[in-house]
Amino acid sequence: MTSRPLTIAILGGTGQEGSGLALRLGKAGHRVVLGSRDAARAAAAAGEMNGALGRDAVSGATNMAAAGAADIVMLTVPYAAQHATVEEVREALRGKILIDTTVPLVPPKVARVQLPPEGSAVAVIQALLGAEVRVVSAFQNVSAHRLRDLEQEVDCDVLVCGDDAAAREIVIGLAADIGLSAYHAGPICNSAAAEALTSVLIAINMRYKSPGAGIRITGVPEREGKPEPGA
Ligand SMILES: NC(=O)c1ccc[n+]([C@@H]2O[C@H](COP(=O)([O-])OP(=O)(O)OC[C@H]3O[C@@H](n4cnc5c(N)ncnc54)[C@H](OP(=O)(O)O)[C@@H]3O)[C@@H](O)[C@H]2O)c1
């Protein structure tokens, strides 16, 4: 668990995955700033989320303003927009943790693993930003549909990859805040496995008509920081 409420920007937070994470993080007591290409769209989405949450936990801004205002920045835009969005907010990311949820899906064959030639979409972003930004890959396997249904716990674990162990630990704490068990899963290059796994989950969703298959890590002893059931 994180020790204090944080201000978390979610770039692309008007969309499926970002809005699910925003609702969960807002419910957990964090302040969320939705980022969008259109500040008015973000403000409208934030208003709807506050209505659902019953309190003013979420606000809206442009992606740049959201990133600038935050302690931690999350990226939840489609793969095709990942690079350009990061370039746009690059100055505001300096010294911060960037949690990148991107899966390199290449429509229309989204149920097929199509990793970039560099191996991992998120590792490419760490290489782009350099040591000034600690990039952590997480939440690729957590269905937006499940996140947005606040009535239900999310039945999925989180693989957390990044080159900085302390940054990974902070992201594991955020996941615990929203009731998810998250695991140190190695350096940023290992994000390739989480990214690939999402296409496998999409294939399973299609075959079994599920709105959100997930993953579980087994065989790991009980450990500090594991979320309580119902958190
Ligand atoms: N959906 C899931 O279940 C899921 C699960 C795990 C991971 N992810 C990952 O999360 C990311 C977002 O997925 P999503 O399903 O939430 O996508 P989405 O709803 O289609 O898009 C998210 C937001 O990205 C912004 N956006 C769209 N096109 C853009 C562009 N060309 N340039 C800049 N911003 C653009 C939009 O915000 P504005 O129009 O307000 O700017 C949009 O609301 C993806 O990388 C995906 O792989 C998704």
Side-chain angles (χ1 to χ4, degrees):
M1 305 265 172
T2 48
S3 54
R4 65 184 173 94
L6 296 169
T7 299
I8 301 165
I10 305 186
L11 312 184
T14 57
Q16 298 293 315
E17 185 76 357
S19 63
L21 288 165
L23 282 166
R24 296 270 172 181
L25 289 164
K27 188 180 172 199
H30 293 291
R31 295 174 295 273
V32 177
V33 189
L34 299 181
S36 169
R37 292 168 291 182
D38 178 342
R41 183 157 56 237
E48 282 179 26
M49 289 182 200
N50 288 330
L53 292 169
R55 66 187 192 86
D56 283 350
V58 187
S59 59
T62 61
N63 283 324
M64 185 62 186
D71 302 311
I72 290 180
V73 182
M74 298 183 91
L75 184 63
T76 64
V77 298
Y79 176 48
Q82 179 203 29
H83 200 281
T85 304
V86 169
E87 284 280 24
E88 184 197 331
V89 303
R90 186 175 187 152
E91 282 307 307
L93 296 177
R94 211 174 282 228
K96 296 181 182 174
I97 293 172
L98 174 67
I99 305 171
D100 192 347
T101 70
T102 302
V103 179
L105 299 180
V106 186
K109 295 190 172 167
V110 294
R112 181 171 296 191
V113 177
Q114 300 183 75
L115 297 177
E118 297 87 348
S120 150
V122 181
V124 167
I125 295 303
Q126 179 66 85
L128 171 75
L129 293 171
E132 285 183 334
V133 183
R134 294 181 291 167
V135 178
V136 177
S137 165
F139 303 107
Q140 277 82 4
N141 308 131
V142 185
S143 145
H145 178 88
R146 302 293 187 201
L147 284 170
R148 287 157 61 95
D149 180 2
L150 293 181
E151 298 300 313
Q152 305 289 332
E153 286 178 30
V154 179
D155 188 14
C156 185
D157 288 344
V158 180
L159 302 177
V160 180
C161 304
D163 293 341
D164 185 290
R168 290 198 308 260
E169 190 66 27
I170 289 168
V171 177
I172 287 169
L174 282 176
D177 290 345
I178 63 173
L180 299 176
S181 286
Y183 294 82
H184 288 274
I188 199 73
C189 60
N190 284 7
S191 176
E195 295 167 29
L197 203 44
T198 300
S199 287
V200 174
L201 292 172
I202 292 171
I204 290 170
N205 288 339
M206 291 163 87
R207 179 67 179 80
Y208 297 97
K209 302 194 183 343
S210 162
I215 60 159
R216 282 284 181 223
I217 302 300
T218 62
V220 180
E222 289 296 310
R223 66 211 152 87
E224 221 176 289
K226 193 168 182 181
E228 298 294 327

